[in-house]
Amino acid sequence: MTRVIHTGDTHIGYQQYNSPERRRDFLAAFRSVVEDAVDDDVDAVIHAGDLFHDRRPGLVDLQGTVDILRTLADADIPFLAVVGNHESKRDAQWLDLFADLGLATRLGAEPVVIDDTAFYGLDFVPRSRRDDLTYDFDALPAEAAHASLVSHGLFEPFAHADWDTETVLAESTVDFDAVLLGDNHKPDTADVLDTWVTYCGSTERASASERADRGYNLVDFADDGTVGISRRGLPSTREFVFVDVELAADEGIDRVQERVRQHDLADAVVIVTIDGEGRPIAPAAIEELAIDRGALVARVNDRRDLPDEDEDEDVSVSFANPDDAVRERIREMGLSDAALEIDETVRSGDLADSNVRDSVERRVRDLRCV
């Protein structure tokens, strides 16, 4: 029997809500999956794309990812993956770099056999290029009793689908026992043409609409030819507190604040959603209350279509001088005299853009010699 962890949509590097802590959360969630893989001694970790949130991950995120993948390598657990739409580059992929380091294998038309299961890969393909796909895969090796396709995209019959799963299965040159997918952050499983097709979901909440617990799939390719898919949650992910408020016509901010106070908000991401009638609400006041009660992040989503009470009044709008605003912010940062000089050089209107770099380099050299 071959037992693997099927994960994906880890979105490492995503600084959600502009919060550095949330950025670290996405890396920590991936680490939790890998620690489970080592503890359970699975045969492989299969990643179905969007390891990173974008194609230019930061150095800290790259270093953290390499460290996590080394944990798998030290435990002799292969990491097999495809490229998702968020991280896809025109040239070599980050996954290729990890492969060169001996930390990962990029799946493709040639099978990678783990125990008695052959894994194939299909990277994310834009909709405009899918008509040219032939779904030609190398033949199933003699030592493999199962075949699984790993891919990234929105496949039928799941939500937001734009990729015909039946076409993929019917035109593929290999008969797959399972299709392990990424891209849809909601976990789900369906039987398509007698083949199990499953999404593992994301490992961290990438949007406020992802209310269910995060986790991954455990997939067993049994000796009797059957495929078993089970779900395992990640209890250590950042807590999200969802406060849903239905306001009556005579209710306002007091009612919303009352509902917020009913929850333990310590270190949580708090999402307040307002429906119903009621009076207009100032989101900043609600968010400030949640932060004062220990929330890491607070956001208010007012779904009501409220009339503009001042729509008939004349409104005067003025804008501050942006240069003055920047100078004020620079003063607040408490920079050294040297840093202030370099800032002035960069923003000077008397210096041609083409000369800025040379001027800054000369000034830095001068400062180093002082």
Side-chain angles (χ1 to χ4, degrees):
M1 182 180 76
T2 306
R3 192 178 202 217
V4 302
I5 282 180
H6 164 216
T7 188
D9 293 291
T10 42
H11 289 275
I12 295 169
Y14 183 23
Q15 189 154 307
Q16 189 183 38
Y17 306 119
N18 201 32
S19 167
E21 289 86 355
R22 284 298 290 149
R23 186 171 191 153
R24 290 190 284 269
D25 287 345
F26 282 84
L27 187 65
F30 181 48
R31 186 181 300 276
S32 294
V33 174
V34 166
E35 289 173 350
D36 284 355
V38 174
D39 290 343
D40 288 353
D41 193 25
V42 298
D43 296 305
V45 172
I46 310 297
H47 196 289
D50 281 355
L51 177 64
F52 295 111
H53 186 64
D54 62 47
R55 61 180 61 91
R56 293 181 297 275
L59 181 57
V60 171
D61 299 309
L62 285 169
Q63 289 174 319
T65 303
V66 168
D67 181 63
I68 294 170
L69 293 179
R70 281 194 176 130
T71 301
L72 278 181
D74 290 344
D76 292 324
I77 299 175
F79 181 77
L80 315 180
V82 296
V83 177
N85 58 305
H86 272 256
E87 64 204 339
S88 179
K89 292 149 53 82
R90 292 185 178 180
D91 49 6
Q93 309 296 328
W94 290 110
L95 194 53
D96 297 323
L97 173 62
F98 299 146
D100 290 342
L101 294 173
L103 300 176
T105 298
R106 182 177 175 184
L107 293 171
E110 183 178 344
V112 175
V113 179
I114 303 295
D115 196 4
D116 65 348
T117 304
F119 292 93
Y120 298 79
L122 178 63
D123 292 339
F124 174 80
V125 179
R127 195 178 341 183
S128 60
R129 290 169 38 203
R130 290 175 195 163
D131 289 341
D132 299 328
L133 293 175
T134 58
Y135 304 109
D136 287 333
F137 299 96
D138 290 358
L140 187 69
E143 68 271 23
H146 301 278
S148 178
L149 175 64
V150 182
S151 190
H152 190 93
L154 299 175
F155 287 80
E156 295 178 349
F158 306 98
H160 317 297
D162 60 13
W163 205 329
D164 186 357
T165 308
E166 290 191 3
T167 297
V168 176
L169 294 174
E171 296 185 4
S172 292
T173 55
V174 171
D175 291 330
F176 295 111
D177 300 294
V179 179
L180 311 183
L181 297 173
D183 200 12
N184 196 328
H185 289 191
K186 178 183 177 181
D188 207 348
T189 301
D191 185 340
V192 180
L193 299 182
D194 295 325
T195 300
W196 287 117
V197 181
T198 183
Y199 279 100
C200 56
S202 59
T203 53
E204 258 289 355
R205 293 180 177 89
S207 75
S209 64
E210 299 171 23
R211 295 200 172 196
D213 291 341
R214 302 294 92 188
Y216 55 85
N217 285 341
L218 283 167
V219 185
D220 295 310
F221 297 89
D223 295 336
D224 62 3
T226 60
V227 177
I229 302 171
S230 58
R231 180 81 182 156
R232 177 180 287 176
L234 286 171
S236 61
T237 56
R238 175 77 59 178
E239 182 181 4
F240 271 54
V241 174
F242 297 96
V243 183
D244 298 327
V245 185
E246 182 84 18
L247 289 181
D250 60 343
E251 293 180 323
I253 192 170
D254 291 344
R255 174 57 178 160
V256 180
Q257 291 175 329
E258 177 188 354
R259 291 281 289 110
V260 170
R261 291 190 182 98
Q262 294 173 356
H263 296 269
D264 179 5
L265 309 182
D267 295 323
V269 175
V270 179
I271 307 297
V272 181
T273 302
I274 303 172
D275 278 305
E277 301 178 8
R279 297 186 293 273
I281 301 296
I286 303 301
E287 293 170 358
E288 183 178 356
L289 171 64
I291 296 299
D292 288 345
R293 294 180 64 83
L296 173 68
V297 173
R299 291 293 184 270
V300 174
N301 177 22
D302 196 336
R303 293 180 174 176
R304 301 170 300 163
D305 186 15
L306 296 174
D308 186 351
E309 296 181 351
D310 300 323
E311 61 184 4
D312 295 329
E313 298 181 8
D314 293 334
V315 178
S316 176
V317 179
S318 61
F319 296 93
N321 185 308
D323 288 334
D324 291 343
V326 170
R327 290 190 180 93
E328 179 64 25
R329 180 67 182 120
I330 291 295
R331 283 195 295 270
E332 294 174 356
M333 294 173 67
L335 300 178
S336 66
D337 291 341
L340 290 172
E341 287 184 31
I342 293 174
D343 168 72
E344 192 63 32
T345 300
V346 172
R347 293 190 299 104
S348 173
D350 299 329
L351 188 63
D353 290 346
S354 58
N355 296 330
V356 169
R357 181 173 180 175
D358 291 340
S359 298
V360 170
E361 287 182 350
R362 284 197 298 272
R363 183 61 187 134
V364 170
R365 285 197 298 268
D366 292 343
L367 290 169
R368 291 179 64 184
C369 295
V370 173

